[in-house]
Amino acid sequence: MLLRRNPFRGVVSSSSSSRVDVDACLPASAIAQFRKKGAVMLPKVVSASWVAALREAAEANMKCPGPLCDEHAAAQGTGGRFHDDQFLWKRHGAFEEYVLESGVGGLAARAMGSKSAHIFYDQLLVKEPGTVAPTPWHNDTSYWQLDGSQICSVWLALDDVAAECGVSYVSGSHLSKIRHAVTNFSGDHHSDKNTYAGSEPLDPVPDVDALEREGSVELLKWDMEPGDAILFSSYAIHGAPGTPAKANRRRGYATRWCGDDVTFDARPGTMAAGWAAAGYDARLQHGDRLGKSALHPDVLRT
Ligand SMILES: O=C(O)CCC(=O)C(=O)O
């Protein structure tokens, strides 16, 4: 693996890590499922050495979070800990190396049928045992300042995740491309960092729990091991429960990817305002291609 950045920031040793084997991880059947159902679980995407390096960086982040960190359980006054932070790749060498050099962007590009893989941002989502706070049903597109169809995430498990504790996806929900009203995962008592002021009045996300009870939706969920990943469309509706006290901690590390057809959408009420206030300003105009911004490089070309 080629290493060229930030040698003083604790990057993963090139000999201890390997690149994602896109051919092996993403057979045609997985691409077909991603396109038809909106989400697919890919076993063994990264090696144990990647998992170890990313876990170590996750620990460091939990001790010393970034400017966009939300602690959702604390904000709600509920038990456990739901740590949620963004742009870790800008602050930790291991996350930076994973984003730029692991090959995970190539995986996303192949699935989307794109020649480019622009990193939109990355996000760490940790639920400690005994975390009551669920991840509410939502789709990511509703939060994001993006137009286009080639937008996806790769949610990497850093722990064993039992299906009933993990993220679930409403099969086929990405096809309707809905945009719904957005809320902060902390509920009404969130910080002032990730707010979505000025968003257009939209319907809330459909009541997936009720739809599931009446048998009108299929939920996709999987048991995962460290190094397994879920590849999913930004339009797919998804959510997750809390983690029971007896479960192990659930660390997920999501990278968000944009392909050739994606442009910047300057509509109000997205994550862009909070990012700019925290120092992550893409400095794009409505309709610009993401590649115009140094914040979102094409990792297939850097
Ligand atoms: O990890 C979670 O609980 C939520 C994940 C999620 O919403 C996402 O990756 O978009």
Side-chain angles (χ1 to χ4, degrees):
M1 182 191 311
L2 189 62
L3 276 185
R4 23 176 215 277
R5 291 181 185 76
N6 295 341
F8 306 112
R9 289 174 60 190
V11 289
V12 183
S13 144
S14 59
S15 60
S16 66
S17 310
S18 53
R19 283 181 70 83
V20 172
D21 182 342
V22 175
D23 291 332
C25 291
L26 201 62
S29 56
I31 298 179
Q33 173 165 341
F34 167 69
R35 292 186 183 170
K36 183 171 176 206
K37 301 198 164 186
V40 62
M41 206 281 277
L42 307 173
K44 298 185 177 25
V45 167
V46 301
S47 60
S49 53
W50 269 120
V51 171
L54 297 175
R55 280 178 173 175
E56 196 177 318
E59 287 311 298
N61 197 76
M62 292 180 76
K63 289 196 184 100
C64 186
L68 288 164
C69 179
D70 270 331
E71 293 285 350
H72 299 302
Q76 293 175 356
T78 55
R81 182 176 183 188
F82 183 0
H83 171 87
D84 175 350
D85 204 358
Q86 303 169 40
F87 284 108
L88 298 103
W89 78 278
K90 292 291 192 183
R91 302 190 305 274
H92 300 274
F95 289 123
E96 180 189 42
E97 186 182 339
Y98 175 78
V99 164
L100 296 179
E101 321 243 8
S102 71
V104 64
L107 189 80
R110 171 89 60 93
M112 297 189 292
S114 172
K115 291 195 178 61
S116 60
H118 293 273
I119 180 68
F120 183 44
Y121 72 107
D122 63 342
Q123 190 165 9
L124 179 67
L125 299 133
V126 180
K127 289 189 182 180
E128 297 289 10
T131 299
V132 179
T135 306
W137 294 109
H138 68 284
N139 72 9
D140 296 335
T141 283
S142 301
Y143 291 78
W144 292 352
Q145 53 275 25
L146 300 174
D147 263 333
S149 62
Q150 294 170 316
I151 314 169
C152 74
S153 290
V154 179
W155 192 102
L156 180 70
L158 300 181
D159 292 295
D160 285 308
V161 184
E164 65 271 17
C165 296
V167 187
S168 302
Y169 300 80
V170 179
S171 179
S173 55
H174 64 306
L175 298 172
S176 60
K177 296 203 160 159
I178 64 161
R179 209 173 253 166
H180 61 77
V182 297
T183 54
N184 184 287
F185 288 4
S186 294
D188 292 337
H189 304 293
H190 57 75
S191 71
D192 57 4
K193 285 173 267 184
N194 297 295
T195 57
Y196 311 103
S199 45
E200 40 178 330
L202 294 171
D203 289 336
V205 71
D207 184 346
V208 174
D209 297 312
L211 293 170
E212 199 211 359
R213 278 195 298 278
E214 68 191 40
S216 48
V217 292
E218 179 200 0
L219 291 186
L220 307 171
K221 51 178 125 176
W222 301 272
D223 290 326
M224 299 178 77
E225 293 180 2
D228 295 349
I230 301 172
L231 170 75
F232 64 98
S233 161
S234 67
Y235 292 96
I237 304 278
H238 56 285
T243 41
K246 288 195 177 138
N248 55 283
R249 63 198 311 217
R250 198 224 64 175
R251 286 170 290 189
Y253 175 55
T255 45
R256 323 294 194 176
W257 299 99
C258 297
D260 306 331
D261 77 353
V262 180
T263 58
F264 182 75
D265 178 358
R267 75 184 195 280
T270 66
M271 292 168 84
W275 285 6
Y280 301 109
D281 189 345
R283 300 185 189 286
L284 292 172
Q285 303 297 318
H286 185 79
D288 280 349
R289 299 221 165 264
L290 279 212
K292 268 189 93 173
S293 172
L295 192 60
H296 307 299
D298 175 7
V299 303
L300 303 187
R301 280 190 203 157
T302 50

